[in-house]
Amino acid sequence: CRPEASSAGTTEPCEDFSVQVLLDEPNTRFCVCFDAESPVIIAVLWVRQEDVHVNDAFAALVQLEERKVWDPSETTLLRKADENDTTVEEVYRTELKCPRPFWDREVLKKQWRLPLDCLHGRGHAIVS
């Protein structure tokens, strides 16, 4: 959070914004960021795995055929990204199978691939 009252180059914590670290291990970290007044959360999973190339992990997340190899959910691409869209906005429908006594969940999701350029290279942020 960057309150407008803060000076340039500094960051002050917002009173209502929380970051909760749920898992903190040498090769895995999972955090949830949220505001108690908002229904929106941000979940961040960071994993370091040997012998996994970043391009393979990227393909497993964004290519539906690759995702089906490891994800048992029934996912359907409802709207493919326009070829001129630099954010690669796509819309998916996913049915999550839940154990009894819970009902299965149907999720409608928009996903973007935002290009990142930095000093150490290039990449993408996958945002849903």
Side-chain angles (χ1 to χ4, degrees), residues 23-50:
L23 179 63
D24 192 8
E25 296 178 354
N27 292 321
T28 308
R29 187 168 196 172
F30 182 67
C31 305
V32 178
C33 312
F34 60 93
D35 179 335
E37 300 298 317
S38 173
V40 177
I41 64 164
I42 300 168
V44 178
L45 174 64
W46 175 86
V47 178
R48 181 183 322 173
Q49 294 182 334
E50 294 184 29

Side-chain angles (χ1 to χ4, degrees), residues 41-122:
I41 64 164
I42 300 168
V44 178
L45 174 64
W46 175 86
V47 178
R48 181 183 322 173
Q49 294 182 334
E50 294 184 29
D51 299 328
V52 175
H53 193 273
V54 69
N55 290 336
D56 294 334
F58 184 76
L61 292 171
V62 300
Q63 294 176 6
L64 194 54
E65 303 79 29
E66 290 293 321
R67 186 177 184 105
K68 288 180 180 181
V69 171
W70 61 270
D71 185 359
S73 304
E74 295 178 23
T75 300
T76 306
L77 176 62
L78 298 178
R79 189 174 72 210
K80 188 171 174 56
D82 182 271
E83 62 185 54
N84 297 323
D85 181 6
T86 59
T87 65
V88 193
E89 179 183 295
E90 295 178 325
V91 178
Y92 292 90
R93 178 204 167 271
T94 301
E95 185 176 335
L96 304 172
K97 301 290 185 185
C98 297
R100 289 190 61 170
F102 303 104
W103 293 349
D104 291 347
R105 302 288 188 251
E106 184 177 21
V107 178
L108 185 63
K109 174 181 86 167
K110 281 189 178 180
Q111 178 175 287
W112 299 267
R113 287 181 242 166
L114 307 178
L116 302 174
D117 292 316
C118 64
L119 295 174
H120 305 291
R122 299 173 65 187

Side-chain angles (χ1 to χ4, degrees), residues 1-3 5-14 17:
C1 293
R2 296 178 190 244
S6 68
S7 59
T10 64
T11 303
E12 297 178 21
C14 292
F17 189 75

